[in-house]
């Protein structure tokens, strides 16, 4: 982040095009500085996590990916602009259309549908929407699975600083103020598009190159061997940042009875369906592994015990309240899951201790009647 007394639009553009992720002009508003840095830290954490996973898989060349993103022959980025004032969105389209494919949306509800159905590289949202709260729209977009890593840029008026701060706090990636400068707008969009494509390349490469040695062939999740190699790195990073880390251990209840009654093929279907429901309820930065048989582990960086308990309860509810449809629709099985949670307690905590405490919490959940979430004893 560049901090300078230069305040001309050309200076901002030069800074961004030179490689800066953001540009603040003195005197710097303290809250603006803090929230901008928080937004960039969130993005870097995701990139670091994906790099770490790639290194663990040992089958990736990050430099090749960086070169691929920087190529000039890549297709035009798809930008969605959500604005209900023609005079405003026509100007934005004019600025962006030279470099990007622009989709204009005047109804915010339609924007949610488009984000769920189509692939965009960046989304720009006016903070002056007439009949819809732009902050609510940002929150709803961030909650969509498909739009989870879609960069959001809000367009604000000078007097809307408080709204901008709230938007950045909830995960919006960047903002730009009116009156819009064409070059600054293009530079900010360019930065966000590059980051999005880089992250997508990392995800794609990790998915394609992780071998069976670190993957479970049935579910596609990482296996116990991968967890054993990767968890120490995650613990070390949490200690270094003095940030929380939680681990959830899951066990499908009475799974042996499913195999004995319906056969191992149906048991495999139950495992796969549970995997889908598990992954649907965790973040991309979380690490889900098949620990063995019907046991699963989820490692959640930057997550304290209270938040981990909320996530675990959501997974438990998702499993218990909706029967598993198997055997090509001929059977519906009621399935439940027991879960134990452990969180890092201090800098001296180790991966082995963390797993052991989660295992004890899981044992207590099963002993307490199953289909429940239990947190490690204090």
């Amino acid at each position: 982040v560049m901090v300078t007394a230069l305040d001309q639009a050309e200076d901002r553009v030069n800074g961004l095009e030179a490689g800066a992720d953001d540009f603040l002009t003195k005197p710097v508003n303290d809250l603006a500085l803090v929230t901008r840095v928080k937004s960039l830290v969130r993005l870097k954490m995701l990139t670091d996590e994906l790099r770490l996973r790639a290194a663990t898989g040992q089958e990736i060349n990050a430099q090749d990916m960086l070169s691929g993103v920087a190529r000039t022959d890549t297709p035009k980025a798809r930008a969605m602009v959500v604005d209900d004032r023609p005079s405003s969105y026509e100007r934005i389209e004019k600025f962006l259309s030279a470099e990007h494919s622009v989709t204009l949306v005047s109804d915010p509800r339609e924007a949610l549908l488009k984000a769920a159905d189509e692939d965009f590289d960046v989304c720009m949202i006016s903070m002056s929407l007439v009949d819809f709260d732009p902050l609510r729209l940002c929150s709803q977009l961030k909650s969509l699975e498909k739009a989870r890593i879609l960069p959001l840029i809000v367009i604000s008026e000078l007097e809307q600083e408080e709204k901008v701060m709230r938007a950045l706090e909830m995960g919006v990636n960047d903002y730009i103020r009116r009156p819009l400068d064409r070059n600054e707008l293009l530079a900010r969009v360019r930065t966000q598009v590059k980051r999005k494509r880089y992250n997508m390349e990392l995800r794609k490469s990790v998915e394609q190159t992780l071998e069976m040695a670190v993957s479970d062939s049935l579910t596609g999740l990482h296996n116990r061997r991968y967890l054993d190699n990767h968890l120490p790195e995650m613990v070390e990073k949490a200690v270094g940042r003095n940030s929380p880390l939680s681990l959830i251990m899951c066990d499908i209840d009475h799974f042996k009875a499913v195999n004995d009654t319906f056969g191992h093929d149906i048991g495999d279907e139950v495992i796969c369906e549970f995997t889908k429901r598990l992954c649907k309820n965790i973040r991309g930065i979380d690490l889900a592994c098949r620990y063995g048989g019907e046991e699963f582990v989820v490692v959640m960086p930057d997550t304290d015990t209270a938040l981990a308990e909320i996530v675990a309860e959501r997974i438990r509810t998702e499993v218990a309240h909706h029967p598993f449809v198997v055997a090509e629709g001929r059977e519906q099985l009621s399935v439940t899951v027991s879960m134990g949670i452990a969180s890092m307690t201090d800098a001296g905590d180790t991966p082995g201790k963390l797993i052991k405490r989660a295992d004890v919490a899981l044992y207590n959940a099963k002993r307490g009647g199953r289909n429940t979430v239990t947190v490690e004893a204090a």
Side-chain angles (χ1 to χ4, degrees):
V1 179
M2 297 184 69
V3 184
T4 175
L6 301 174
D7 60 358
Q8 297 300 308
E10 183 181 355
D11 299 322
R12 294 196 297 272
V13 172
N14 288 341
L16 291 166
E17 289 188 338
D21 291 284
D22 218 318
F23 191 109
L24 297 173
T25 302
K26 297 178 182 178
V28 177
N29 178 296
D30 289 350
L31 187 56
L33 173 63
V34 170
T35 51
R36 276 273 172 85
V37 169
K38 281 184 178 179
S39 177
L40 290 171
V41 166
R42 287 192 197 103
L43 290 164
K44 185 177 185 300
M45 280 167 46
L46 174 61
T47 302
D48 284 351
E49 173 63 18
L50 290 168
R51 279 182 180 273
L52 183 57
R53 293 191 191 186
T56 306
Q58 298 178 343
E59 289 291 331
I60 197 168
N61 187 328
Q63 190 58 47
D64 286 349
M65 288 188 301
L66 283 167
S67 301
V69 173
R71 286 202 317 264
T72 56
D73 60 345
T74 53
K76 281 188 174 184
R78 294 196 63 198
M80 178 166 64
V81 177
V82 186
D83 196 338
D84 52 13
R85 289 189 300 174
S87 60
S88 172
Y89 63 65
E90 287 171 1
R91 180 179 177 83
I92 296 171
E93 182 181 33
K94 181 180 178 182
F95 286 166
L96 292 178
S97 57
E99 294 187 11
H100 310 292
S101 172
V102 182
T103 299
L104 296 174
V105 180
S106 57
D107 183 352
R109 286 163 284 268
E110 184 185 351
L112 287 170
L113 296 174
K114 284 188 174 293
D117 292 337
E118 302 180 39
D119 291 315
F120 291 99
D121 295 294
V122 66
C123 177
M124 308 193 67
I125 301 169
S126 169
M127 297 294 280
S128 304
L129 297 174
V130 177
D131 296 322
F132 202 93
D133 181 1
L135 293 177
R136 181 183 170 197
L137 176 60
C138 292
S139 175
Q140 290 174 332
L141 284 169
K142 282 293 179 184
S143 69
L144 288 175
E145 184 175 355
K146 190 165 186 178
R148 194 165 290 165
I149 63 169
L150 174 66
L152 303 182
I153 302 176
V154 294
I155 306 167
S156 70
E157 307 290 346
L158 184 62
E159 65 274 11
Q160 292 177 321
E161 182 170 313
E162 185 178 342
K163 271 190 173 183
V164 169
M165 302 308 167
R166 289 168 60 194
L168 289 167
E169 286 289 347
M170 68 173 56
V172 166
N173 302 80
D174 204 349
Y175 70 94
I176 187 168
R177 287 202 175 107
R178 302 182 196 272
L180 298 178
D181 175 84
R182 176 183 180 276
N183 290 322
E184 182 186 0
L185 177 66
L186 286 172
R188 289 203 184 279
V189 170
R190 224 175 277 139
T191 297
Q192 295 301 330
V193 167
K194 184 176 180 180
R195 183 181 289 113
K196 159 78 163 22
R197 287 182 169 175
Y198 179 47
N199 281 336
M200 289 299 293
E201 282 294 317
L202 275 168
R203 284 171 176 259
K204 178 180 171 184
S205 187
V206 169
E207 289 170 1
Q208 290 177 345
T209 60
L210 279 175
E211 297 178 336
M212 292 299 293
V214 292
S215 298
D216 175 59
S217 58
L218 178 62
T219 63
L221 297 178
H222 296 299
N223 60 17
R224 183 169 179 171
R225 179 178 175 184
Y226 184 90
L227 177 70
D228 290 342
N229 289 331
H230 192 68
L231 183 57
E233 298 273 4
M234 299 179 77
V235 169
E236 183 181 344
K237 185 183 291 186
V239 171
R241 293 204 311 262
N242 194 27
S243 61
L245 181 142
S246 294
L247 186 146
I248 304 173
M249 187 168 282
C250 320
D251 187 281
I252 300 175
D253 296 329
H254 304 297
F255 184 72
K256 184 177 184 300
V258 174
N259 279 336
D260 291 346
T261 305
F262 298 97
H264 288 275
D265 288 349
I266 299 301
D268 287 350
E269 289 189 45
V270 169
I271 291 286
C272 291
E273 177 60 24
F274 174 75
T275 300
K276 290 177 185 176
R277 299 188 189 193
L278 177 71
C279 292
K280 189 172 77 171
N281 286 284
I282 62 176
R283 305 165 300 181
I285 200 172
D286 299 329
L287 174 64
C289 299
R290 187 180 181 192
Y291 200 61
E294 66 274 22
E295 279 194 322
F296 295 78
V297 168
V298 180
V299 188
M300 307 183 71
D302 297 282
T303 304
D304 58 20
T305 303
L307 182 55
E309 192 171 2
I310 291 171
V311 174
E313 182 59 31
R314 189 168 65 215
I315 295 167
R316 187 201 65 78
T317 303
E318 172 86 13
V319 172
H321 289 190
H322 305 285
F324 282 37
V325 179
V326 296
E328 298 181 344
R330 296 190 302 273
E331 296 282 353
Q332 288 193 7
L333 304 183
S334 294
V335 177
T336 61
V337 61
S338 299
M339 311 177 83
I341 298 172
S343 300
M344 285 183 58
T345 54
D346 54 55
D349 220 342
T350 66
K353 292 178 181 177
L354 195 63
I355 289 177
K356 177 63 177 175
R357 294 203 306 273
D359 193 40
V360 171
L362 173 60
Y363 173 76
N364 291 333
K366 298 181 84 67
R367 189 176 62 176
R370 304 177 191 268
N371 188 26
T372 188
V373 175
T374 300
V375 179
E376 61 177 317

